[in-house]
Amino acid sequence: MAVEPVVYGASERPPRGDYSRAGADYTCPQNYAAYTAADHATYHKLYERQSALVPGLACDEFLAALPSLGAKDQIPRFEDINERLFKATGWEVVAVPGLIPEVPFFTLLANRKFPVTDWIRTPAEFDYIVEPDVFHDLFGHVPLLFEPVFADHIQAYGAGGLKAHRLGACEQLSRLYWYTIEFGLMRQKNGLRAYGAGILSSSGELVHAVKSGEPQRIALDVLRAMRTRYKIDSYQQTYFVIDSFQQLFDMTTPDFTPLYAQLKHLSELPADALLPEDKLIER
């Protein structure tokens, strides 16, 4: 049976990607021969720009792991990354044609397999792309999979996602993913730093999230994050802050079933909401 593409957020444009290549689990071989010289040049330019920006803005763990990604001047081969990644934390990256449904996504994470879109943006999308591409997934997500505690957190998130699906709570859990794994900040001894992939792979949002005085930064509270809607087409108005990956793992280890029950009786919050009980974090 053919698998179907997934529409991202409120977008009316069907996602790109050749889903006819995907198996029942939505994975496919990385079609490395299909990359053009222009594709490799785009990846190289993106890598060079972003790697020059992350010092002083990305968390220490990301900076330490980034060299493990390998090739900089061309799109890496996934099997080359996996040789290093599996030895480090037991994870591997697998190719997918684009966004995939919740259950296959959670299932892959629960089995320590991270889905990476295997196509790359066009030059016209160099500064901003709505859907994740191979650069976002590799540069933004994969380096921290070399960090053992964070790697364990991602696997636990996958297992929790399967449970959330059974309980009809995927929307609430997806907000936590958005505000941590995609757009999370961390307090370190040298100040606020980014660990979320959506920040780390974006030149504009990286500076906005860490240095700008515009957004509000709030100490992470799981229930608070699950109530909060988010923006997909602009910089975030709110960022949630942790102190360490161990703290994030400990906060998300308990059973979320009671939280899902609470959320049924709580109103959703706009992306720029500020509550009296919020603990604001200074830059």
Side-chain angles (χ1 to χ4, degrees):
M1 183 176 67
V3 298
E4 297 293 331
V6 176
V7 175
Y8 184 59
S11 174
E12 296 179 356
R13 177 175 59 81
R16 73 193 79 178
D18 181 6
Y19 286 77
S20 67
R21 299 191 296 120
D25 63 353
Y26 278 83
T27 66
C28 59
Q30 183 188 21
N31 190 3
Y32 201 83
Y35 296 133
T36 65
D39 291 335
H40 289 299
T42 296
Y43 182 89
H44 177 60
K45 291 175 183 176
L46 285 165
Y47 191 104
E48 288 294 298
R49 180 177 71 172
Q50 210 61 21
S51 61
L53 286 174
V54 290
L57 298 174
C59 69
D60 295 340
E61 293 86 346
F62 177 85
L63 295 174
L66 184 58
S68 298
L69 201 55
K72 305 175 184 178
D73 58 346
Q74 61 186 17
I75 299 169
R77 294 181 183 272
F78 293 177
E79 61 262 32
D80 292 341
I81 295 173
N82 287 338
E83 285 185 11
R84 298 182 291 274
L85 183 56
F86 192 82
K87 290 177 183 177
T89 58
W91 274 82
E92 59 182 313
V93 298
V94 292
V96 291
L99 292 161
I100 65 176
E102 292 164 347
V103 171
F105 177 71
F106 295 143
T107 300
L108 288 172
L109 296 186
N111 287 283
R112 295 179 94 85
K113 298 178 187 292
F114 195 88
V116 174
T117 302
D118 67 348
W119 53 261
I120 193 162
R121 70 192 71 183
T122 66
E125 299 166 306
F126 191 83
D127 289 319
Y128 177 75
I129 186 169
V130 175
E131 301 157 71
D133 70 341
V134 69
F135 178 76
H136 166 82
D137 284 342
L138 287 184
F139 191 96
H141 285 287
V142 173
L144 284 177
L145 292 176
F146 284 87
E147 205 289 319
V149 176
F150 191 77
D152 287 346
H153 167 68
I154 300 293
Q155 181 183 27
Y157 180 89
L162 292 172
K163 184 173 185 179
H165 180 79
R166 294 193 297 270
L167 296 173
C170 285
E171 173 62 27
Q172 289 74 24
L173 191 65
S174 71
R175 292 172 182 169
L176 183 64
Y177 185 95
W178 185 270
Y179 281 118
T180 56
I181 296 167
E182 286 289 356
F183 289 95
L185 294 177
M186 180 189 297
R187 282 196 294 189
Q188 296 194 312
K189 61 183 179 181
N190 46 7
L192 278 180
R193 296 293 183 264
Y195 72 90
I199 305 174
L200 293 168
S201 61
S202 167
S203 60
E205 187 123 12
L206 183 59
V207 176
H208 174 80
V210 179
K211 295 294 186 182
S212 172
E214 295 178 12
Q216 54 195 18
R217 301 167 181 89
I218 302 170
L220 177 64
D221 176 275
V222 171
L223 186 65
R224 169 72 162 86
M226 285 183 175
R227 293 178 63 190
T228 308
R229 297 192 295 271
Y230 54 81
K231 303 283 188 177
I232 67 168
D233 55 359
S234 65
Y235 295 158
Q236 302 306 301
Q237 295 169 289
T238 297
Y239 297 95
F240 289 92
V241 183
I242 62 172
D243 291 324
S244 68
F245 289 138
Q246 188 63 55
Q247 180 199 34
L248 178 63
F249 182 83
D250 293 342
M251 291 177 73
T252 55
T253 296
D255 182 9
F256 284 171
T257 303
L259 294 185
Y260 298 147
Q262 277 185 263
L263 287 164
K264 292 179 180 179
H265 305 287
L266 294 172
S267 60
E268 293 183 339
L269 298 171
D272 61 349
L274 184 62
L275 304 182
E277 60 269 29
D278 288 338
K279 182 181 178 183
L280 286 172
I281 305 297
E282 299 297 329
R283 283 185 294 130

